[in-house]
């Protein structure tokens, strides 16, 4: 990506609160501000979510509408 991600988030692996491993995601907002792009760090996996899924994920993570960014 040409610029820094909007945010990063992670999911811990398993039930152990002290584990530092797990999946780390970087989230970018598309130039049209209607979709998000996700990259799984360390695995270089990329996906662009459709408008509906992008809006749901962004609202869940950030608590705002995607189009307001």
């Amino acid at each position: 990506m040409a610029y820094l991600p909007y945010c990063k988030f992670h999911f811990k692996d398993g039930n152990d609160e002290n584990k530092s491993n797990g999946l780390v995601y970087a989230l970018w907002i598309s130039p049209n501000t209607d979709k998000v792009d996700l990259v799984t760090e360390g695995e270089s996996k990329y996906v662009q979510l459709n408008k509906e899924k992008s809006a749901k994920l962004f609202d869940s993570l950030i608590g705002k509408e995607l189009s307001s960014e």
Side-chain angles (χ1 to χ4, degrees):
M1 299 293 192
Y3 51 94
L4 295 174
Y6 181 84
C7 69
K8 290 185 179 185
F9 61 97
H10 74 281
F11 295 102
K12 290 188 177 190
D13 187 17
N15 296 324
D16 186 353
E17 292 291 326
N18 296 319
K19 283 187 176 180
S20 61
N21 59 351
L23 296 176
V24 178
Y25 295 91
L27 180 146
W28 282 266
I29 299 172
S30 69
N32 295 336
T33 68
D34 62 348
K35 296 179 185 171
V36 298
D37 302 325
L38 296 173
V39 173
T40 307
E41 289 189 353
E43 296 182 14
S44 299
K45 292 182 180 179
Y46 166 86
V47 66
Q48 184 178 67
L49 301 179
N50 65 30
K51 290 179 184 183
E52 182 181 331
K53 289 182 180 181
S54 292
K56 286 181 181 180
L57 178 64
F58 195 81
D59 183 52
S60 295
L61 292 174
I62 308 301
K64 295 182 190 176
E65 288 188 24
L66 180 58
S67 60
S68 68
E69 286 303 306

